[in-house]
Amino acid sequence: MPLSEAPRTSPTPAHLHGSHAPLLELRNISKTFPGVKALTNMELTVYPGEVHALMGENGAGKSTLMKILSGAYIADPGGECRIAGEPVAIDGPATARAHGVAVIYQELSLAPNLSVAENIYLGRHLHHRGMVDRAAMARACEATLARLGADFTPQTPVNTLSIAQRQLVEIARAVHFETRILVMDEPTTPLSTRETDRLFALIRQLRAEGMAIIYISHRMAEIDELADRVTVLRDGCFVGTLTREALTQAALVKMMVGRDLSGFYTKTHGETAPGEIMLSVRNMSDGRRVRGCSFDLRAGEVLGLAGLVGAGRTELARLVFGADTRTDGAVFVAGTPLAVGPRQAIDAGIAYLTEDRKLQGLFLDQSVHENINLIVAARDALRGGRLNRASARQRTAAAIRSLGIRVAHPQVNVGALSGGNQQKVMLSRLLETRPRVLILDEPTRGVDIGAKAEIYRLINELARSGVAVLMISSELPEVVGLCDRVLVMREGELAGEVPGCADAAAMQEQIIALATGAGEQKPPVLH
């Protein structure tokens, strides 16, 4: 549903009728790091009883602005912060908390070995006769937890709670200490659909109680669901603020990336028919999550692999690449049998982009330069065991330029980059292996719209050059928009194949039917 057509699920905040003064006003906020201007004259106005979305590409300055608001960073001189109309100099986290500002980050700041009550009072423990008074803290927390509908007690150890419950502890801490401005940074990333629905209900409750909520998200559907207004940043600058009435996806995307992305999901690689069969998979099984999967992938083709979470898509990709042990099955690259193992797969021309770039893909404490050159360093070997460092530097510079990696210097650690730029670094490393087959597992997860568009462009270019691409994605629009055909997995098996066609809605319906078991089609038996 387009943003402009989305129904309101709660009353329009009173401030939209002019009956409330701003709760938070940031004016001319700038922040300079050595060699980098992260924010330039940023502005933000937030009212009580409003969900105010903050959007922009990764690296646009959202996190920097919120760290200034929370006291983690000190803004450059010349800016102004007003809370409830009063000038405030936020010179540290304690000052921010004292003025009713709380931030819930993606990485929750809880002590898992402590109880819920001890975490709510973390850094502000109650004492009695020189000892921490755990009983008093537990009693004081009961009303707050009941108000939020918590299904655990103040004495519950945090390490026994789910991610969603731990997030509720963070919210309880903010509510308990009478937070007026609550910042939520990508809060639904680790949550299931049901947990997300519960979080949204809680956000609406807090909004109705008058709390101002600054909501950071890349997900258009969430902005559609919650936002009263949206402020957009681009390249560290204030672009503008959209009211609910003016909010459309097209307007929002154009503000974020500075250009029209009307052809966002357009497939541009299919001018010629796919070439020879580049990858053949036969009867692939691991004895647990993948059973009897067979398919072919041709040069110049983008083949989608869709299905519900847990259907076995990632497990199948890892078996093909040799990262996991298979109990049965065979893989052929251009007709040649492939020995089992990632090194053998790379040597045969297969590259695999893992879905978990932080844990399985990148070396976060190493530089962009080191990450890009990691696999192909042997190419730079000279006589005597020395390396041709000039060649490596040229490779890094070419990768940064061609993929549009935003980094101040190639020696910056990858861990300091935004999600989209981290993804581009990992892609550039894989492309340096000159693959014939490229397996992409959730290539746009956790990246912003601009980075998505660049990754889509790259996929199209690779397919046009003859690379065979297998793409796993949970986003049906990008599967339908980019893939020549789609294989659908259900409960570890290939449930069927959906050919590409001009009717995107019909394709999505067929994919969902096969993924849920409503479709009866089975893929052809391959020998």
Side-chain angles (χ1 to χ4, degrees), residues 68-69 71 74 79-83 86-92 95-96 99:
I68 288 172
L69 178 60
I74 306 299
E80 181 183 28
C81 173
R82 288 179 176 268
I83 297 178
E86 297 296 323
V88 175
I90 298 180
D91 53 8
T95 303
H99 286 87

Side-chain angles (χ1 to χ4, degrees), residues 14-356:
H15 72 270
L16 295 183
H17 300 294
S19 59
H20 281 264
L23 178 58
L24 171 68
E25 297 173 272
L26 299 176
R27 298 284 178 265
N28 298 317
I29 301 298
S30 299
K31 180 61 180 176
T32 304
F33 297 101
V36 178
K37 185 80 167 181
L39 288 177
T40 304
N41 298 330
M42 180 59 200
E43 305 205 359
L44 180 67
T45 302
V46 183
Y47 291 85
E50 136 173 86
V51 175
H52 194 119
L54 196 60
M55 297 195 74
E57 297 185 75
N58 287 329
K62 306 184 298 295
S63 295
T64 300
L65 182 64
M66 291 303 98
K67 286 180 179 179
I68 288 172
L69 178 60
S70 68
Y73 292 161
I74 306 299
D76 295 347
E80 181 183 28
C81 173
R82 288 179 176 268
I83 297 178
E86 297 296 323
V88 175
I90 298 180
D91 53 8
T95 303
R97 286 196 300 268
H99 286 87
V101 177
V103 181
I104 299 177
Y105 296 102
Q106 285 180 266
E107 304 295 333
L108 302 180
S109 57
L110 298 176
N113 59 315
L114 300 181
S115 71
V116 169
E118 289 172 303
N119 270 278
I120 289 176
Y121 275 90
L122 199 62
R124 295 180 272 198
H125 284 166
L126 300 180
H127 293 82
H128 180 66
R129 295 180 179 177
M131 302 289 290
V132 174
D133 195 340
R134 292 180 174 82
M137 291 190 296
R139 288 193 301 270
C141 292
E142 287 176 352
T144 299
L145 293 177
R147 172 182 167 191
L148 299 178
D151 56 356
F152 48 84
T153 70
Q155 295 86 358
T156 303
V158 163
N159 59 13
T160 66
L161 300 180
S162 68
I163 292 295
Q165 289 173 318
R166 295 185 190 198
Q167 193 176 72
L168 184 57
V169 174
E170 291 257 28
I171 295 173
R173 180 161 59 193
V175 170
H176 189 73
F177 289 102
E178 299 182 349
T179 290
R180 295 185 291 174
I181 303 166
L182 178 62
V183 181
M184 306 187 81
D185 188 359
E186 299 281 1
T188 64
T189 299
L191 303 184
S192 67
T193 300
R194 181 175 298 178
E195 290 167 340
T196 296
D197 290 342
R198 291 174 183 161
L199 175 64
F200 285 0
L202 182 55
I203 289 173
R204 294 187 189 100
Q205 174 186 331
L206 296 175
R207 173 173 62 185
E209 294 173 0
M211 184 180 289
I213 298 171
I214 301 174
Y215 191 92
I216 301 174
S217 177
H218 290 309
R219 299 177 177 178
M220 292 290 185
E222 295 181 8
I223 305 306
D224 186 349
E225 183 84 12
L226 293 172
D228 300 303
R229 293 190 301 144
V230 181
T231 289
V232 178
L233 289 72
R234 186 172 70 242
D235 298 329
C237 298
F238 171 76
V239 177
T241 297
L242 294 174
T243 63
R244 181 74 191 187
E245 291 73 19
L247 193 57
T248 66
Q249 180 166 324
L252 193 54
V253 169
K254 190 169 184 178
M255 289 176 69
M256 288 174 62
V257 302
R259 61 189 186 278
D260 184 13
L261 294 181
S262 56
F264 198 45
Y265 294 116
T266 302
K267 181 175 67 175
T268 62
H269 63 267
E271 290 87 354
T272 59
E276 65 173 313
I277 294 176
M278 190 58 61
L279 176 71
S280 294
V281 176
R282 295 293 179 267
N283 198 36
M284 187 60 65
S285 305
D286 66 0
R288 298 176 296 113
R289 296 186 176 183
V290 178
R291 297 183 299 278
C293 292
S294 300
F295 65 89
D296 289 328
L297 172 60
R298 293 181 176 272
E301 179 182 34
V302 179
L303 175 63
L305 190 57
L308 302 177
V309 174
R313 299 167 300 167
T314 293
E315 290 80 2
L316 176 57
R318 289 177 60 84
L319 289 173
V320 171
F321 187 64
D324 292 334
T325 303
R326 63 193 189 215
T327 58
D328 195 8
V331 177
F332 302 85
V333 178
T336 302
L338 176 66
V340 177
R343 183 71 260 176
Q344 290 79 3
I346 293 171
D347 290 343
I350 300 178
Y352 173 50
L353 181 83
T354 175
E355 66 173 339
D356 192 338

